[in-house]
Amino acid sequence: MEKALCFETQERTTVQCHLCRHRCTITDGGRGICRVRENRGGQLYSLVSGLIVAEHSDPIEKKPLFHVLPGSHCYSVASVGCNFRCLHCQNADIAKYDDQGSGLMPGHPLPPAELVRRATASGCRSIAYTYTEPTVWFEYALATARLAAEAGLYNIFVTNGYISSEALGMIAPVLHAANIDLKGFSSGFYQRVCGAQLSEVLDCIRDYRRRGIWIEITTLVIPGENDDTEQLNGIAGFIADELGPDTPWHVSRFFPCHRMLDHPPTPLSSLERAVEAGVRAGLKYIYEGNVTNGREQTLCTACGAVLIGRRGYTLTQLNLRDGACASCGKPMAGIWG
C-alpha cells in the first residue's frame, strides 16, 4: 500500500481523486471506480502499487507500436485494476479485479529499480505499462519510468486514454510513446460499452499530442457496435485533423469474449470499411490486426518501397536509414532510436 498522488481532501474525510477523468469523490473506507484506490481517514492510498501480476518480454509490435524501435523487445508489466468497465475486455480477470473488501490484492512485489534491472538484463529497449490500465497504478509507473529513462530505456503506455491532465503532466517528461485505444466515436457507445465519456477520451488524446508524446491509435472493430461508417469516418477524421496524417491507426478484429460472447467475430468487410475511412481521411499508415495476411507492412509514402516488412510480430525487412527511407531518403514519422 502506498499513499496516492493526485487527490485532495474535501469536507471531513471525503477525498476527490484527480488521477483520471472520472475524478471520483470517495468517502472514508470507499474506493474509486478503479477499485484499487481507497480512502483511509481522508487520505487516498493505492492498494496495488508495486504488486505485479504480469511480467513478460514482448515484441514491441505486439503493443501494437509499429513506428517505435521496430524489431525491439519491451519489458511489459501490469498490476490489477482499470477505470473502464468494457463489456469486451480481453483481460477482465486482472483488469476488473475486485477483492470485495478483503484488502488482499494479488501480485508479487517488484521494486522499480529491480524492474529496470530486469528490463536491461533481458535486452529490452523499453518498458511497457500494459495489459491493464496503467493510469490506476500511476505511482508505480511514474517511479519506474523515471529510473528507466535514467538508464536509457524508453517508456510506453498502452492505455484507454483517460488519465487526467495533471497526472499526464507529471509523467510526460519520461513517457516517450503511447498506444491509445479510441474504441468508438459515439457518446452512447462509450457510456454503454465502456463506462466512460468520449469527449474526455478525445481531450486526453489531444493532451498527449500537445505534450509531444508519440501516439499510435487502436480501434477494436466490433460488429454492430462501432463498425458503422459514421463512427469509422469520425475516428479517421479525428486522427487526421487533430493528430496528423502520419499518426498510425491500427484497426483490429474482434473475437467474442467477456460479456460480448453473443457477438460474432468481426467480418473482414468491416475492417475494409475502416481502412477505406482512413484512406479517405488521408491517413498514411493504416494497419490491420488480429487477421491473417492483413495490412501490416509500412510503405514509404514517397516512393512506395517497403520500409518495414512484418509477418505477425516478426520483422522480415527493415529499409530505414537514420529514420528515413533507405531508397529515396523520405523522412519517416516515429521513434527509431
Side-chain angles (χ1 to χ4, degrees), residues 107-283:
H108 63 273
L110 181 60
E114 175 59 16
L115 171 53
V116 172
R117 189 199 67 79
R118 292 184 187 184
T120 303
S122 69
C124 290
R125 298 187 63 188
S126 58
I127 294 178
Y129 310 86
T130 181
Y131 303 133
T132 62
E133 176 49 51
T135 301
V136 306
W137 32 283
F138 177 78
E139 292 79 11
Y140 180 76
L142 177 62
T144 303
R146 286 171 172 168
L147 293 179
E150 291 175 2
L153 297 173
Y154 291 82
N155 291 296
I156 296 163
F157 263 21
V158 180
T159 176
N160 57 28
Y162 226 61
I163 193 171
S164 70
S165 187
E166 301 98 300
L168 185 59
M170 295 173 69
I171 200 169
V174 290
L175 185 61
H176 304 94
N179 185 291
I180 307 176
D181 283 340
L182 184 46
K183 298 173 185 288
F185 214 73
S186 157
S187 296
F189 169 85
Y190 255 96
Q191 292 169 5
R192 178 175 54 82
V193 175
C194 308
Q197 301 294 324
L198 171 62
S199 61
E200 295 286 2
V201 174
L202 298 181
D203 282 347
C204 184
I205 294 173
R206 295 182 185 107
D207 200 5
Y208 271 88
R209 173 59 80 218
R210 282 193 298 268
R211 296 178 189 276
I213 300 164
W214 175 257
I215 299 172
E216 301 192 21
I217 299 294
T218 292
T219 303
L220 185 69
V221 181
I222 308 172
E225 298 288 353
N226 63 357
D227 63 342
D228 55 279
T229 301
E230 183 177 357
Q231 288 195 68
L232 296 175
N233 284 341
I235 295 171
F238 172 82
I239 295 171
D241 296 341
E242 304 214 31
L243 307 181
D246 284 336
T247 303
W249 185 25
H250 302 264
V251 292
S252 295
R253 194 179 185 202
F254 162 87
F255 290 93
C257 62
H258 193 43
R259 296 174 63 188
M260 280 195 171
L261 296 175
D262 58 339
H263 285 56
T266 309
L268 296 183
S269 58
S270 292
L271 289 188
E272 291 169 2
R273 284 204 307 276
V275 170
E276 290 167 359
V279 170
R280 284 194 300 270
L283 298 182

Side-chain angles (χ1 to χ4, degrees), residues 20-60:
C20 88
R21 290 166 184 261
H22 286 302
R23 298 189 181 275
C24 296
T25 298
I26 310 170
T27 57
D28 192 9
R31 298 184 187 178
I33 287 173
C34 65
R35 307 301 301 154
V36 297
R37 305 172 76 77
E38 184 172 290
N39 178 356
R40 297 190 176 185
Q43 300 294 308
L44 193 63
Y45 290 88
S46 168
L47 305 178
V48 295
S49 187
L51 292 176
I52 300 302
V53 294
E55 180 183 1
H56 305 285
S57 175
D58 288 330
I60 199 165

